């Protein structure tokens, strides 16, 4: 079993499907693998797409820019993560963001139309694949709602505490590591990086948290 096989077994779209079954299904799904170099565009704003991408190696950033070019990092995709599914399902809707390689990466593309239509060979687990895709879309909607929850806070301080509180709960620990560097975190929260860094220092000085690069420890508030 290859590293790619192990990775695909762990992806949400192939949950409950064995390695042999995945291999058989890939040809039915017109699977193709492409390598991208750092900063290379995978999908660009205004483009319509028909396939979803699965990150096999490296990382991918999904970035939305306004009229003036101000970037908002919507998501970072690591190995095993999937992107583009909502637009691929609604293939007439043009992309409202850019998707690019944050590092050299390998991407496996699957045609959504082949997923949503039962193949002529009637793969035994095709229905499971469809359910997995719908579950994935639902989960991504929850993630977007969480991001909107952070962004709806009025101040940079409130946005930071909202995000860090959520990451602590996800890790079930007061010390945790986030997937963003400072600029990426600022983009994700739609705040100025300098203002955010200043606020982090104020929170540290107030004894609310400690940090070392992208590892944070938050403390309970004293009454």
């Amino acid at each position: 079993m290859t590293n790619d096989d192990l990775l695909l077994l762990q992806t949400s779209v192939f949950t409950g499907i064995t390695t042999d079954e995945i291999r058989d299904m890939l040809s039915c799904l017109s699977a193709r693998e492409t390598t991208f170099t750092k900063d290379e565009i995978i999908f660009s704003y205004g483009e319509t797409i028909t396939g979803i991408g699965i990150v096999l190696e490296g990382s991918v950033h999904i970035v939305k820019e306004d009229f003036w070019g101000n970037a908002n990092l919507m998501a970072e995709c690591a190995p095993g993560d999937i992107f583009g599914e909502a637009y691929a399902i609604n293939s007439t809707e043009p992309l409202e963001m850019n998707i690019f390689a944050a590092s050299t990466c390998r991407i496996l593309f699957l045609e959504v139309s082949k997923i949503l239509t039962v193949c002529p060979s009637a793969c035994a687990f095709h229905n499971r694949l469809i359910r997995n895709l719908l579950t994935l879309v639902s989960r991504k909607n929850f993630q977007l709602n969480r991001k909107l929850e952070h962004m709806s806070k009025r101040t940079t301080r409130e946005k930071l505490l909202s995000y860090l509180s959520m990451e602590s709960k996800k890790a079930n620990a007061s010390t945790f590591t986030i997937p963003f560097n400072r600029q990426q975190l600022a983009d994700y929260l739609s705040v100025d990086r300098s203002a955010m860094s200043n606020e982090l220092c104020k929170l540290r000085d107030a004894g609310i948290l400690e940090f070392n690069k992208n590892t944070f420890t938050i403390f309970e508030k004293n009454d």
Side-chain angles (χ1 to χ4, degrees):
M1 185 179 295
T2 67
N3 289 335
D4 286 351
D5 289 335
L6 290 171
L7 185 65
L8 290 177
L9 276 175
Q10 298 170 24
T11 61
S12 54
V13 76
F14 289 120
T15 297
I17 303 175
T18 68
T19 297
D20 289 340
E21 290 158 349
I22 291 172
R23 288 172 178 166
D24 290 340
M25 295 176 71
L26 288 180
S27 61
C28 296
L29 302 177
S30 300
R32 58 185 176 85
E33 181 184 318
T34 305
T35 299
F36 296 88
T37 58
K38 183 179 180 181
D39 295 329
E40 187 175 357
I41 292 292
I42 299 172
F43 293 132
S44 59
Y45 180 92
E47 184 179 356
T48 55
I49 63 176
T50 60
I52 64 173
I54 302 176
V55 183
L56 298 177
E57 184 179 318
S59 61
V60 169
H61 282 178
I62 301 175
V63 175
K64 193 167 186 177
E65 295 184 0
D66 64 16
F67 179 82
W68 296 274
N70 298 310
N72 178 18
L73 180 64
M74 304 297 291
E76 178 179 46
C77 301
D81 289 338
I82 296 168
F83 61 88
E85 67 286 342
Y87 284 93
I89 290 172
N90 187 9
S91 59
T92 60
E93 188 72 22
L95 280 173
E96 297 181 347
M97 67 279 292
N98 290 313
I99 303 176
F100 68 92
S103 65
T104 297
C105 60
R106 290 189 299 118
I107 309 296
L108 181 69
F109 293 100
L110 307 176
E111 285 296 316
V112 163
S113 62
K114 299 291 183 70
I115 297 177
L116 298 179
T117 303
V118 177
C119 60
S121 57
C123 298
F125 283 84
H126 205 119
N127 287 336
R128 182 60 182 265
L129 187 66
I130 294 172
R131 291 197 299 272
N132 289 345
L133 181 61
L134 293 175
T135 299
L136 171 66
V137 172
S138 175
R139 186 179 300 121
K140 289 289 186 72
N141 282 336
F142 283 125
Q143 292 172 350
L144 179 59
N145 286 336
R146 294 189 191 104
K147 177 179 170 67
L148 291 175
E149 179 182 349
H150 307 321
M151 293 177 61
S152 68
K153 305 300 182 182
R154 299 183 64 181
T155 67
T156 298
R157 181 189 184 97
E158 290 173 340
K159 290 178 181 181
L160 276 169
L161 291 177
S162 175
Y163 173 74
L164 294 174
S165 173
M166 183 200 72
E167 289 296 308
S168 175
K169 289 180 179 179
K170 281 171 57 179
N172 195 29
S174 58
T175 298
F176 53 91
T177 300
I178 66 172
F180 303 133
N181 61 31
R182 291 291 182 270
Q183 186 59 61
Q184 292 164 355
L185 178 58
D187 291 342
Y188 179 78
L189 296 175
S190 294
V191 297
D192 177 77
R193 176 180 175 175
S194 296
M196 184 193 73
S197 295
N198 288 337
E199 198 60 55
L200 282 172
C201 291
K202 290 178 182 178
L203 289 167
R204 179 194 59 199
D205 294 342
I208 296 173
L209 56 79
E210 289 181 353
F211 55 86
N212 179 23
K213 296 184 179 179
N214 62 337
T215 297
F216 289 80
T217 299
I218 58 176
F219 304 106
E220 294 184 5
K221 294 180 180 180
N222 294 321
D223 296 331

Coordinates of all heavy atoms in Angstrom, one line a residue, residues 88-155:
A88 N -17.7 22.9 -8.1 CA -17.8 21.8 -9.1 C -19.2 21.2 -9.2 O -19.6 20.8 -10.3 CB -16.8 20.7 -8.7
I89 N -19.9 21.1 -8.0 CA -21.2 20.6 -8.1 C -22.1 21.6 -8.8 O -23.0 21.2 -9.6 CB -21.8 20.4 -6.6 CG1 -21.0 19.3 -6.0 CG2 -23.3 20.2 -6.6 CD1 -21.3 19.1 -4.5
N90 N -22.0 22.9 -8.6 CA -22.7 23.9 -9.4 C -21.8 24.5 -10.4 O -21.3 25.6 -10.3 CB -23.2 25.0 -8.4 CG -24.1 26.0 -9.1 OD1 -24.5 25.8 -10.2 ND2 -24.4 27.1 -8.4
S91 N -21.5 23.7 -11.4 CA -20.4 24.0 -12.4 C -20.6 25.2 -13.3 O -19.7 25.6 -14.0 CB -20.2 22.8 -13.3 OG -21.4 22.5 -14.0
T92 N -21.8 25.8 -13.2 CA -22.0 27.1 -14.0 C -21.7 28.3 -13.2 O -21.7 29.4 -13.7 CB -23.5 27.1 -14.5 OG1 -24.4 27.2 -13.3 CG2 -23.9 26.0 -15.3
E93 N -21.5 28.1 -11.9 CA -21.2 29.3 -11.0 C -19.7 29.6 -11.1 O -18.8 28.7 -10.7 CB -21.6 29.0 -9.6 CG -21.5 30.1 -8.6 CD -22.6 31.2 -8.9 OE1 -23.6 30.8 -9.5 OE2 -22.4 32.3 -8.5
P94 N -19.3 30.8 -11.5 CA -17.8 31.1 -11.5 C -17.2 31.3 -10.2 O -17.9 31.7 -9.2 CB -17.8 32.4 -12.3 CG -19.1 33.0 -12.1 CD -20.1 31.9 -12.0
L95 N -16.0 30.9 -10.1 CA -15.2 31.0 -8.8 C -15.2 32.5 -8.4 O -15.0 33.4 -9.2 CB -13.8 30.5 -9.0 CG -13.6 29.0 -8.9 CD1 -12.1 28.7 -9.3 CD2 -13.9 28.4 -7.5
E96 N -15.3 32.7 -7.1 CA -15.2 34.0 -6.5 C -13.9 34.2 -5.7 O -13.8 35.1 -4.8 CB -16.4 34.3 -5.6 CG -17.7 34.4 -6.4 CD -18.9 34.7 -5.5 OE1 -18.8 34.6 -4.3 OE2 -20.0 35.0 -6.1
M97 N -13.0 33.3 -5.9 CA -11.7 33.3 -5.2 C -10.6 32.7 -6.1 O -10.9 32.1 -7.1 CB -11.7 32.6 -3.9 CG -11.9 31.1 -4.0 SD -13.6 30.6 -4.3 CE -14.4 31.0 -2.7
N98 N -9.3 32.9 -5.7 CA -8.2 32.2 -6.3 C -7.8 31.0 -5.4 O -7.8 31.2 -4.2 CB -7.1 33.2 -6.5 CG -7.3 34.2 -7.6 OD1 -7.8 33.9 -8.6 ND2 -7.0 35.5 -7.3
I99 N -7.4 30.0 -6.1 CA -6.9 28.8 -5.4 C -5.5 28.5 -5.9 O -5.4 28.3 -7.1 CB -7.8 27.6 -5.6 CG1 -9.2 27.9 -5.1 CG2 -7.2 26.4 -4.8 CD1 -10.2 26.7 -5.4
F100 N -4.5 28.6 -5.0 CA -3.1 28.5 -5.5 C -2.3 27.6 -4.6 O -2.7 27.3 -3.4 CB -2.5 29.8 -5.7 CG -2.2 30.6 -4.4 CD1 -1.0 30.4 -3.8 CD2 -3.2 31.4 -3.9 CE1 -0.8 31.1 -2.6 CE2 -3.0 32.1 -2.7 CZ -1.7 31.9 -2.1
A101 N -1.2 27.1 -5.1 CA -0.3 26.3 -4.4 C 0.5 27.1 -3.4 O 1.3 28.0 -3.8 CB 0.7 25.5 -5.3
A102 N 0.4 26.8 -2.1 CA 1.1 27.5 -1.1 C 2.6 27.0 -1.0 O 3.4 27.6 -0.4 CB 0.4 27.4 0.3
S103 N 2.7 25.8 -1.5 CA 4.1 25.1 -1.6 C 4.0 24.2 -2.8 O 2.9 24.0 -3.4 CB 4.4 24.3 -0.4 OG 3.5 23.3 -0.2
T104 N 5.1 23.6 -3.2 CA 5.0 22.6 -4.3 C 4.1 21.5 -3.8 O 4.2 21.0 -2.7 CB 6.4 22.0 -4.6 OG1 7.2 23.1 -5.0 CG2 6.3 21.0 -5.6
C105 N 3.1 21.2 -4.7 CA 2.1 20.2 -4.2 C 1.6 19.3 -5.4 O 1.8 19.7 -6.5 CB 0.9 20.9 -3.6 SG 0.1 22.1 -4.7
R106 N 1.1 18.2 -5.0 CA 0.5 17.2 -5.9 C -1.0 17.2 -5.6 O -1.4 17.0 -4.4 CB 1.1 15.8 -5.8 CG 2.5 15.7 -6.3 CD 3.0 14.3 -6.4 NE 2.9 13.7 -5.1 CZ 2.2 12.6 -4.7 NH1 1.4 12.1 -5.6 NH2 2.2 12.1 -3.5
I107 N -1.8 17.3 -6.7 CA -3.3 17.4 -6.5 C -3.9 16.3 -7.3 O -3.5 16.1 -8.5 CB -3.9 18.7 -6.9 CG1 -3.1 19.9 -6.3 CG2 -5.4 18.8 -6.6 CD1 -3.3 19.9 -4.8
L108 N -4.8 15.5 -6.8 CA -5.6 14.5 -7.5 C -7.0 15.1 -7.8 O -7.7 15.6 -6.9 CB -5.8 13.3 -6.7 CG -6.6 12.1 -7.3 CD1 -5.8 11.5 -8.5 CD2 -6.9 11.0 -6.3
F109 N -7.3 15.2 -9.1 CA -8.6 15.8 -9.5 C -9.6 14.7 -9.8 O -9.2 13.7 -10.5 CB -8.4 16.7 -10.7 CG -7.6 18.0 -10.4 CD1 -6.3 18.1 -10.7 CD2 -8.2 19.1 -9.7 CE1 -5.6 19.2 -10.4 CE2 -7.5 20.2 -9.4 CZ -6.2 20.3 -9.8
L110 N -10.8 14.9 -9.4 CA -11.9 13.9 -9.7 C -13.1 14.7 -10.3 O -13.4 15.8 -9.8 CB -12.4 13.2 -8.4 CG -11.4 12.5 -7.5 CD1 -12.1 12.0 -6.3 CD2 -10.7 11.4 -8.3
E111 N -13.7 14.2 -11.3 CA -14.8 14.8 -12.0 C -16.1 14.6 -11.2 O -16.5 13.5 -10.9 CB -15.0 14.3 -13.4 CG -14.0 14.8 -14.4 CD -14.1 16.3 -14.6 OE1 -15.2 16.8 -14.7 OE2 -13.0 16.9 -14.6
V112 N -16.7 15.7 -10.7 CA -17.9 15.6 -9.9 C -19.0 15.0 -10.6 O -19.8 14.2 -10.0 CB -18.3 17.0 -9.4 CG1 -19.7 17.0 -8.8 CG2 -17.3 17.4 -8.2
S113 N -19.2 15.2 -11.9 CA -20.3 14.7 -12.7 C -20.2 13.1 -12.6 O -21.3 12.5 -12.6 CB -20.3 15.2 -14.1 OG -19.1 14.8 -14.8
K114 N -19.0 12.6 -12.6 CA -18.8 11.1 -12.5 C -19.2 10.6 -11.2 O -19.6 9.4 -11.0 CB -17.4 10.8 -12.9 CG -17.0 11.2 -14.3 CD -17.7 10.4 -15.4 CE -17.2 10.7 -16.8 NZ -15.9 10.3 -17.0
I115 N -19.0 11.5 -10.1 CA -19.4 11.0 -8.8 C -20.9 11.0 -8.6 O -21.5 10.1 -8.1 CB -18.8 12.0 -7.7 CG1 -17.3 11.9 -7.8 CG2 -19.3 11.6 -6.3 CD1 -16.6 12.9 -6.8
L116 N -21.6 12.1 -9.1 CA -23.0 12.2 -8.9 C -23.8 11.3 -9.8 O -25.0 11.2 -9.6 CB -23.4 13.7 -9.1 CG -22.8 14.7 -8.2 CD1 -23.2 16.1 -8.5 CD2 -23.1 14.3 -6.7
T117 N -23.2 10.8 -10.9 CA -23.9 9.8 -11.8 C -23.3 8.4 -11.6 O -22.1 8.2 -11.7 CB -23.7 10.3 -13.2 OG1 -24.2 11.6 -13.4 CG2 -24.5 9.4 -14.2
V118 N -24.2 7.5 -11.3 CA -23.7 6.1 -11.1 C -23.1 5.6 -12.3 O -23.7 5.7 -13.4 CB -24.9 5.2 -10.6 CG1 -24.4 3.8 -10.5 CG2 -25.5 5.7 -9.3
C119 N -21.9 5.1 -12.2 CA -21.1 4.7 -13.4 C -21.7 3.4 -14.0 O -22.4 2.6 -13.4 CB -19.7 4.5 -13.0 SG -19.4 3.2 -11.8
P120 N -21.4 3.2 -15.3 CA -21.9 2.0 -16.0 C -21.5 0.7 -15.4 O -22.3 -0.3 -15.5 CB -21.3 2.1 -17.4 CG -21.0 3.6 -17.6 CD -20.6 4.1 -16.2
S121 N -20.4 0.7 -14.7 CA -19.9 -0.6 -14.1 C -20.6 -0.8 -12.7 O -20.3 -1.8 -12.1 CB -18.4 -0.6 -14.0 OG -18.0 0.5 -13.2
A122 N -21.4 0.2 -12.3 CA -22.2 0.1 -11.1 C -21.3 -0.3 -9.9 O -21.5 -1.3 -9.2 CB -23.3 -1.0 -11.2
C123 N -20.3 0.6 -9.6 CA -19.5 0.4 -8.4 C -20.3 0.2 -7.2 O -21.2 1.0 -6.9 CB -18.6 1.6 -8.2 SG -17.4 1.9 -9.6
A124 N -20.0 -0.8 -6.4 CA -20.8 -1.2 -5.2 C -20.8 0.0 -4.2 O -21.8 0.1 -3.5 CB -20.2 -2.4 -4.6
F125 N -19.8 0.8 -4.2 CA -19.7 1.8 -3.1 C -20.0 3.2 -3.7 O -19.7 4.2 -3.1 CB -18.4 1.8 -2.4 CG -18.3 0.6 -1.4 CD1 -18.0 -0.6 -1.8 CD2 -18.6 0.9 -0.1 CE1 -17.9 -1.7 -0.9 CE2 -18.6 -0.2 0.8 CZ -18.2 -1.4 0.4
H126 N -20.6 3.3 -4.9 CA -20.8 4.6 -5.5 C -21.8 5.4 -4.7 O -21.6 6.6 -4.5 CB -21.3 4.5 -6.9 CG -21.0 5.7 -7.8 ND1 -20.2 5.6 -8.9 CD2 -21.3 7.0 -7.6 CE1 -20.1 6.8 -9.4 NE2 -20.8 7.6 -8.7
N127 N -22.8 4.8 -4.2 CA -23.8 5.5 -3.3 C -23.1 6.1 -2.1 O -23.5 7.2 -1.6 CB -25.0 4.6 -3.0 CG -25.9 4.4 -4.1 OD1 -26.0 5.1 -5.1 ND2 -26.6 3.2 -4.1
R128 N -22.2 5.3 -1.5 CA -21.5 5.8 -0.4 C -20.7 7.0 -0.7 O -20.5 7.9 0.1 CB -20.6 4.7 0.2 CG -19.8 5.0 1.4 CD -20.8 5.4 2.6 NE -20.1 5.8 3.8 CZ -19.8 4.9 4.8 NH1 -20.1 3.7 4.7 NH2 -19.1 5.4 5.9
L129 N -20.1 7.0 -1.9 CA -19.3 8.1 -2.4 C -20.1 9.4 -2.4 O -19.7 10.5 -2.0 CB -18.7 7.8 -3.7 CG -17.7 8.8 -4.3 CD1 -16.4 8.8 -3.4 CD2 -17.3 8.4 -5.7
I130 N -21.3 9.2 -3.0 CA -22.2 10.4 -3.1 C -22.6 10.9 -1.7 O -22.6 12.1 -1.5 CB -23.5 10.0 -3.9 CG1 -23.2 9.7 -5.3 CG2 -24.5 11.1 -3.8 CD1 -24.3 9.1 -6.1
R131 N -22.9 10.0 -0.8 CA -23.2 10.5 0.6 C -22.0 11.2 1.2 O -22.2 12.2 1.9 CB -23.7 9.3 1.5 CG -25.0 8.7 1.1 CD -25.6 7.8 2.2 NE -24.7 6.7 2.5 CZ -24.7 5.5 1.9 NH1 -25.6 5.3 0.9 NH2 -23.9 4.5 2.2
N132 N -20.8 10.6 1.0 CA -19.6 11.3 1.6 C -19.4 12.7 1.0 O -19.1 13.6 1.8 CB -18.4 10.4 1.2 CG -18.3 9.1 2.0 OD1 -19.1 8.9 3.0 ND2 -17.5 8.2 1.6
L133 N -19.7 12.9 -0.3 CA -19.5 14.2 -0.9 C -20.5 15.2 -0.3 O -20.2 16.3 0.1 CB -19.7 14.1 -2.4 CG -19.5 15.4 -3.1 CD1 -18.2 16.0 -2.9 CD2 -19.8 15.2 -4.6
L134 N -21.8 14.8 -0.1 CA -22.8 15.6 0.5 C -22.4 16.0 2.0 O -22.6 17.1 2.4 CB -24.2 15.0 0.4 CG -24.7 14.8 -0.9 CD1 -26.1 14.0 -0.9 CD2 -25.0 16.1 -1.6
T135 N -21.9 15.0 2.7 CA -21.4 15.3 4.1 C -20.3 16.3 4.1 O -20.2 17.1 4.9 CB -21.0 13.9 4.7 OG1 -22.1 13.0 4.8 CG2 -20.5 14.2 6.1
L136 N -19.4 16.1 3.1 CA -18.3 17.1 3.0 C -18.7 18.5 2.8 O -18.3 19.4 3.4 CB -17.3 16.6 1.9 CG -16.2 17.6 1.5 CD1 -15.2 17.7 2.6 CD2 -15.5 17.1 0.2
V137 N -19.7 18.7 1.9 CA -20.2 20.0 1.6 C -20.9 20.6 2.8 O -20.7 21.8 3.2 CB -21.2 20.0 0.4 CG1 -21.9 21.3 0.3 CG2 -20.5 19.6 -0.9
S138 N -21.6 19.8 3.6 CA -22.2 20.2 4.8 C -21.2 20.6 5.8 O -21.3 21.7 6.5 CB -23.1 19.1 5.4 OG -23.7 19.5 6.6
R139 N -20.1 19.9 6.0 CA -19.1 20.2 6.9 C -18.4 21.5 6.6 O -18.1 22.3 7.4 CB -18.1 19.0 7.0 CG -17.0 19.2 8.1 CD -16.0 18.0 8.1 NE -16.7 16.8 8.3 CZ -16.7 15.7 7.5 NH1 -16.1 15.8 6.4 NH2 -17.4 14.6 7.8
K140 N -18.1 21.7 5.3 CA -17.5 23.0 4.8 C -18.4 24.2 5.2 O -17.9 25.2 5.5 CB -17.2 22.9 3.3 CG -16.1 21.9 2.9 CD -14.8 22.4 3.3 CE -13.6 21.6 2.8 NZ -13.4 21.7 1.3
N141 N -19.7 24.0 5.1 CA -20.6 25.1 5.4 C -20.5 25.4 6.9 O -20.5 26.6 7.3 CB -22.1 24.7 5.1 CG -22.4 24.8 3.6 OD1 -21.7 25.6 2.9 ND2 -23.4 24.1 3.1
F142 N -20.3 24.4 7.7 CA -20.1 24.7 9.2 C -18.8 25.4 9.4 O -18.8 26.4 10.2 CB -20.1 23.3 9.9 CG -21.4 22.7 10.2 CD1 -21.7 21.4 9.8 CD2 -22.5 23.5 10.8 CE1 -23.0 20.8 10.0 CE2 -23.7 22.9 11.0 CZ -24.0 21.6 10.6
Q143 N -17.8 25.1 8.7 CA -16.5 25.8 8.8 C -16.6 27.2 8.4 O -16.1 28.1 9.0 CB -15.4 25.1 8.0 CG -15.1 23.7 8.5 CD -14.1 22.9 7.5 OE1 -13.9 23.3 6.4 NE2 -13.6 21.8 8.0
L144 N -17.4 27.5 7.3 CA -17.6 28.8 6.9 C -18.3 29.6 7.9 O -18.0 30.8 8.2 CB -18.3 28.8 5.5 CG -18.6 30.2 4.9 CD1 -17.3 31.0 4.7 CD2 -19.4 30.1 3.6
N145 N -19.3 29.0 8.5 CA -20.1 29.7 9.5 C -19.2 30.1 10.7 O -19.4 31.1 11.3 CB -21.3 28.8 10.0 CG -22.4 28.7 9.0 OD1 -22.5 29.6 8.1 ND2 -23.2 27.7 9.0
R146 N -18.3 29.2 11.1 CA -17.3 29.5 12.2 C -16.5 30.7 11.8 O -16.2 31.6 12.6 CB -16.5 28.3 12.5 CG -17.2 27.1 13.0 CD -16.2 26.0 13.5 NE -16.9 24.8 13.8 CZ -16.9 23.7 13.1 NH1 -16.2 23.7 11.9 NH2 -17.6 22.6 13.4
K147 N -16.0 30.7 10.6 CA -15.2 31.9 10.1 C -16.0 33.2 10.2 O -15.5 34.2 10.7 CB -14.7 31.6 8.7 CG -13.9 32.8 8.1 CD -13.4 32.5 6.8 CE -12.8 33.7 6.0 NZ -11.5 34.2 6.7
L148 N -17.2 33.1 9.8 CA -18.1 34.3 9.8 C -18.4 34.7 11.2 O -18.5 35.9 11.5 CB -19.4 34.0 9.1 CG -19.4 33.8 7.6 CD1 -20.7 33.4 7.0 CD2 -18.9 35.1 6.9
E149 N -18.4 33.7 12.2 CA -18.6 34.1 13.6 C -17.4 34.9 14.1 O -17.6 35.9 14.8 CB -18.7 32.8 14.4 CG -18.9 33.0 15.9 CD -19.0 31.7 16.7 OE1 -19.2 30.6 16.0 OE2 -18.9 31.8 17.9
H150 N -16.2 34.5 13.7 CA -15.0 35.2 14.1 C -15.0 36.6 13.5 O -14.8 37.6 14.2 CB -13.7 34.5 13.7 CG -13.7 33.1 14.2 ND1 -14.1 32.7 15.4 CD2 -13.2 32.0 13.6 CE1 -13.9 31.4 15.6 NE2 -13.4 30.9 14.4
M151 N -15.3 36.7 12.2 CA -15.2 38.0 11.5 C -16.3 38.9 11.9 O -16.2 40.1 11.7 CB -15.3 37.7 10.0 CG -14.1 37.0 9.5 SD -14.2 36.6 7.7 CE -14.4 38.3 7.0
S152 N -17.4 38.4 12.5 CA -18.5 39.3 12.9 C -18.2 40.0 14.2 O -18.9 41.0 14.5 CB -19.8 38.5 13.1 OG -19.7 37.6 14.2
K153 N -17.2 39.6 14.9 CA -16.8 40.4 16.1 C -16.3 41.8 15.7 O -15.7 42.0 14.7 CB -15.7 39.6 16.9 CG -16.0 38.2 17.2 CD -17.2 38.1 18.1 CE -17.5 36.6 18.5 NZ -18.7 36.5 19.3
R154 N -16.5 42.7 16.6 CA -16.3 44.1 16.3 C -14.8 44.5 16.3 O -14.4 45.4 15.5 CB -17.1 45.0 17.2 CG -18.6 44.8 17.1 CD -19.4 45.7 17.9 NE -19.3 47.1 17.5 CZ -19.8 48.1 18.1 NH1 -20.6 47.9 19.2 NH2 -19.6 49.4 17.7
T155 N -14.0 44.0 17.2 CA -12.7 44.4 17.3 C -11.7 43.3 17.0 O -12.0 42.1 17.0 CB -12.4 44.9 18.8 OG1 -12.5 43.8 19.7 CG2 -13.4 46.0 19.2

